[in-house]
Amino acid sequence: MKYAGLLVMPAGFFLTIAAIVLFPGVTMRTAFVLCGLAVEVMALVVTVRGHMQLRSENR
Amino acid sequence: MTPLAPMPFPETSFALTLVLLLMAPLAIAGLALMNVGLGRSRSAAQSMLGTLVVVSTAVIAFVLVGWAIASGNDRDLVFHVGGKAWNWAGAGQVFARGLSSVPPRAQLILLSEMLSVAMVALIPWGSGADRLRLPAGAAIAAVLGAVVFPLIAHWTWSGWLAQLGTNFAIGTGLVDSGGAGPVHALGGMAALAVIWIAGPRKGKFPREGLSTAMPGHNVVYVLFGSLVALVGWLAWNMAGTLLWLNAVPSALAVVAVNTILSATAALAGTFLVTRIRFGKPDASLCANGWLAGLVTSSACASVVSPLEALFAGVVAGIFTPLLVESFELALSIDDPSGAVIVHGAAGLWGLIASGIFAPQAGQFVAQLIGVSTLLGLMLPLVYGFFWLMDRVISFRVEPDGERLGMDLHELGGNAYPEFVVHRDESYR
């Protein structure tokens, strides 16, 4: 789960890059950059949850 | 930010920047004092020696290899996507060859980035206190100095992030003259990776009950370190403004005012939050809040008004103690120096805040793209590097070494030989 989260984070980054290249309009570009960030934050949450799970198993 | 090479750099600016950069190591000294004070007494000497080791390793790795990637000039490596140029790495000379023949400004940039890489390497060292081995700290510093920092530094100050304005009309590109992103946010992320890989200190999270409190051994070091760091930060922010924003020296007073306001407002915020939360103000959390304000100012101080700097500082001061507590109690993250929040979260907040208050249209999006790059690319990259390195050089000290204390185990002597040293039996 931890590694899945870490692998999803670059997906959010590439969503941000795609927004820069594909959308010249301010609104769409901003919306997609925010979506990219949201994906990264969700991936971070998954990574942290994975870390907590590992800790509780090792206690 | 504006690309560097063609801009004039008067002699006055050169002399002033050089003097300021010579004062900037005080920020590193302050942080080192804080790290030592927040760790345990039985690891104090190892912590301070480790500071010198990681700083030396990072600086040498950067000058030998990293500077070639970080430097920006007309020979940079560029690829084209969507009809636009993406400047992704410098193509300078390794071993800093030919340094005496490059423009004076580029020499100052090398000096500035040498100090920046020292700071980046020091941040995870503080988070690994009491269990991170010296060789592991040196290896982490080498990787950060040779590869990771040069890449994000190049992107931020002369590469594709800096050119978002000219290539895609997104504000003026990423603005971060004090290094809140490539220095502090990156350092905070490296700290998180170290904590995840090395694990918590023995006895920190017992099988039953909440986490065990392991307070810093010398709060005076911590608070004095905060004051020393202020002097270094003032110099750092002003030097960054001259170097990266091509500001005139007369603009520096506002930068200094903003830096102080951000730190003091953050301290006030943390003081109030801890007073309300615990009934009394918490000294080490207040120092963390102060430092978070300084980190926030790294991005903000040169581009916002004093009132906006105050607001950014207050917000950093409020979220710092709340997040430090949540990370430890709710998320089982053992971070003795609080670096993940103080440098990582406050660095990202500084980038966002400078976008919120920027007068240029689209600047907020440029700052968000910088945040996205750090979080989405740099954190997994750093974790991946460290995970591989841990397979070769174990990050964590052996259980017996942790029980003895890092000073005795790694150095063969204590920092305070006359004092009684608390062993692990003192804790649950």
Side-chain angles (χ1 to χ4, degrees), chain B residues 7-176:
Chain B
M7 300 301 295
F9 200 61
E11 284 289 317
T12 329
S13 295
F14 178 86
L16 188 55
T17 310
L18 182 61
V19 171
L20 289 169
L21 285 176
L22 294 179
M23 288 168 64
L26 284 172
I28 296 169
L31 187 63
L33 267 177
M34 292 180 77
N35 285 345
V36 172
L38 287 168
R40 286 191 274 186
S41 58
R42 61 187 188 179
S43 303
Q46 189 253 11
S47 173
M48 205 44 123
L49 176 64
T51 297
L52 298 177
V53 170
V54 299
V55 164
S56 308
T57 314
V59 165
I60 291 169
F62 180 74
V63 173
L64 292 184
V65 182
W67 171 241
I69 302 170
S71 61
N73 54 45
D74 50 5
R75 289 176 286 120
D76 288 351
L77 304 178
V78 175
F79 65 85
H80 292 82
V81 174
K84 304 285 186 186
W86 294 74
N87 182 334
W88 69 278
Q93 300 216 28
V94 290
F95 312 132
R97 276 183 303 190
L99 183 65
S100 54
S101 60
V102 301
R105 188 174 185 202
Q107 296 177 13
L108 284 179
I109 288 171
L110 171 61
L111 179 59
S112 160
E113 292 188 350
M114 280 167 67
L115 297 173
S116 299
V117 81
M119 178 67 97
V120 173
L122 188 54
I123 294 167
W125 177 249
S127 291
D130 302 320
R131 75 271 204 210
L132 188 63
R133 296 167 60 240
L134 266 174
I140 288 166
V143 168
L144 289 174
V147 185
V148 183
F149 170 77
L151 209 54
I152 189 69
H154 179 78
W155 293 354
T156 304
W157 289 317
S158 49
W160 68 272
L161 282 171
Q163 294 170 358
L164 284 173
T166 48
N167 284 346
F168 298 96
I170 305 176
T172 54
L174 180 64
V175 172
D176 183 12

Side-chain angles (χ1 to χ4, degrees), chain A residues 16 29 40 51-52 55 59, chain B residues 168 196 205 207 330 372:
Chain A
T16 304
R29 183 181 270 170
E40 291 173 6
H51 169 76
M52 289 168 64
R55 285 245 53 79
R59 271 179 186 177
Chain B
F168 298 96
W196 274 339
F205 299 113
R207 286 179 191 279
S372 171

Side-chain angles (χ1 to χ4, degrees), chain B residues 29-387:
Chain B
L31 187 63
L33 267 177
M34 292 180 77
N35 285 345
V36 172
L38 287 168
R40 286 191 274 186
S41 58
R42 61 187 188 179
S43 303
Q46 189 253 11
S47 173
M48 205 44 123
L49 176 64
T51 297
L52 298 177
V53 170
V54 299
V55 164
S56 308
T57 314
V59 165
I60 291 169
F62 180 74
V63 173
L64 292 184
V65 182
W67 171 241
I69 302 170
S71 61
N73 54 45
D74 50 5
R75 289 176 286 120
D76 288 351
L77 304 178
V78 175
F79 65 85
H80 292 82
V81 174
K84 304 285 186 186
W86 294 74
N87 182 334
W88 69 278
Q93 300 216 28
V94 290
F95 312 132
R97 276 183 303 190
L99 183 65
S100 54
S101 60
V102 301
R105 188 174 185 202
Q107 296 177 13
L108 284 179
I109 288 171
L110 171 61
L111 179 59
S112 160
E113 292 188 350
M114 280 167 67
L115 297 173
S116 299
V117 81
M119 178 67 97
V120 173
L122 188 54
I123 294 167
W125 177 249
S127 291
D130 302 320
R131 75 271 204 210
L132 188 63
R133 296 167 60 240
L134 266 174
I140 288 166
V143 168
L144 289 174
V147 185
V148 183
F149 170 77
L151 209 54
I152 189 69
H154 179 78
W155 293 354
T156 304
W157 289 317
S158 49
W160 68 272
L161 282 171
Q163 294 170 358
L164 284 173
T166 48
N167 284 346
F168 298 96
I170 305 176
T172 54
L174 180 64
V175 172
D176 183 12
S177 59
V183 179
H184 299 287
L186 176 65
M189 286 168 191
L192 183 59
V194 164
I195 291 164
W196 274 339
I197 290 169
R201 288 169 288 180
K202 189 176 181 324
K204 180 68 186 173
F205 299 113
R207 286 179 191 279
E208 288 125 24
L210 291 172
S211 70
T212 308
M214 293 182 177
H217 85 280
N218 194 327
V219 80
V220 178
Y221 283 178
V222 178
L223 295 172
F224 183 64
S226 308
L227 285 172
V228 173
L230 173 68
V231 183
W233 238 277
L234 283 166
W236 208 309
N237 284 351
M238 289 193 279
T241 308
L242 289 170
L243 269 180
W244 302 115
L245 298 182
N246 302 302
V248 289
S250 59
L252 294 185
V254 177
V255 178
V257 167
N258 286 348
T259 304
I260 296 170
L261 273 178
S262 184
T264 48
L267 178 86
T270 308
F271 189 96
L272 281 176
V273 168
T274 53
R275 174 77 177 78
I276 293 165
R277 184 83 183 77
F278 309 122
K280 288 178 181 173
D282 184 291
S284 62
L285 280 175
C286 282
N288 274 343
W290 171 273
L291 201 60
L294 288 174
V295 170
T296 304
S297 79
S298 293
C300 293
S302 51
V303 289
V304 301
S305 70
L307 191 64
E308 291 160 352
L310 190 107
F311 174 78
V314 166
V315 172
I318 290 171
F319 75 63
T320 297
L322 299 176
L323 285 181
V324 165
E325 192 186 358
S326 307
F327 263 50
E328 181 173 321
L329 297 182
L331 305 180
S332 303
I333 291 174
D334 180 18
D335 183 3
S337 66
V340 178
I341 305 304
V342 169
H343 295 272
L348 295 180
W349 161 242
L351 289 177
I352 293 169
S354 57
I356 292 171
F357 297 124
Q360 306 92 343
Q363 191 58 44
F364 181 60
V365 179
Q367 301 299 107
L368 286 184
I369 293 168
V371 171
S372 171
T373 307
L374 284 157
L375 195 59
L377 202 60
M378 287 299 142
L379 177 57
L381 184 72
V382 165
Y383 185 89
F385 270 126
F386 290 179
W387 184 84

